[in-house]
Amino acid sequence: MAITNQNMQTMIEETPAIRKTKELCQTILDQPDMRAVRQRVSTFMADEQSRAQYEAVVTRGQALHEKQQKSQALSGDEVADFERQRDALLKNPVARGFLDAQKAMHEVQESVQLYVGKTLELGRVPGPEDLDDGCGHEGCGCHH
């Protein structure tokens, strides 16, 4: 059974928590740095060459990973070819901007998830001491 948008709307009742979550989402989107992040994603999505380059590196990386998972040896040429493709991708300013944007969005998502998760776990809004995971700052994602 497929879930339609209408079904999703009725499943997500407009509770006070949902209203505040929507406010949080808008606040995140309204941040100047988040606007810049979204612009980098849009620039990347509009650049066919950069997208193709990115997809080629991801596909090649997945193929090498699968080969390793099957305990198959990787040749030096395979690894060198992948590293050349990856280095070229990282030198592409549009692709680099996209990768940086992905990282920034992931960090925001992790931070929000950390706060919400800790709130549900503790039964109160967490303070800095509740969020300190030994990284030196909250939500860094280093998972020591």
Side-chain angles (χ1 to χ4, degrees):
M1 178 171 84
I3 296 179
T4 65
N5 281 343
Q6 186 177 4
N7 290 351
M8 287 298 294
Q9 287 173 345
T10 58
M11 289 173 58
I12 301 174
E13 186 181 334
E14 186 73 15
T15 64
I18 295 297
R19 281 192 295 280
K20 288 294 186 181
T21 301
K22 288 179 178 180
E23 287 177 31
L24 171 62
C25 292
Q26 190 60 56
T27 300
I28 291 169
L29 290 174
D30 289 344
Q31 293 181 81
D33 56 335
M34 191 54 62
R35 286 188 191 123
V37 164
R38 297 290 312 148
Q39 182 57 49
R40 288 191 300 244
V41 171
S42 295
T43 299
F44 172 79
M45 296 307 290
D47 187 327
E48 275 188 48
Q49 183 179 355
S50 293
R51 282 194 343 258
Q53 185 182 22
Y54 173 81
E55 289 170 15
V57 170
V58 168
T59 300
R60 188 72 186 132
Q62 288 172 338
L64 293 177
H65 181 73
E66 287 173 18
K67 195 172 178 180
Q68 281 183 313
Q69 292 297 316
K70 295 177 184 175
S71 298
Q72 297 173 346
L74 301 179
S75 74
D77 288 343
E78 287 176 308
V79 173
D81 181 52
F82 172 74
E83 288 176 351
R84 272 192 300 278
Q85 287 181 358
R86 186 192 61 211
D87 290 346
L89 178 71
L90 295 176
K91 289 178 184 171
N92 175 335
V94 173
R96 180 78 243 169
F98 173 70
L99 294 170
D100 291 345
Q102 276 189 318
K103 181 180 177 199
M105 287 189 292
H106 182 73
E107 289 171 355
V108 169
Q109 185 178 14
E110 276 190 336
S111 179
V112 170
Q113 288 174 338
L114 176 65
Y115 269 92
V116 172
K118 282 291 186 180
T119 298
L120 295 173
E121 175 186 323
L122 299 170
R124 61 179 169 74
V125 176
E129 68 282 357
D130 299 313
L131 301 171
D132 184 20
D133 58 4
C135 301
H137 69 282
E138 59 193 63
C140 73
C142 65
H143 307 290
H144 286 289

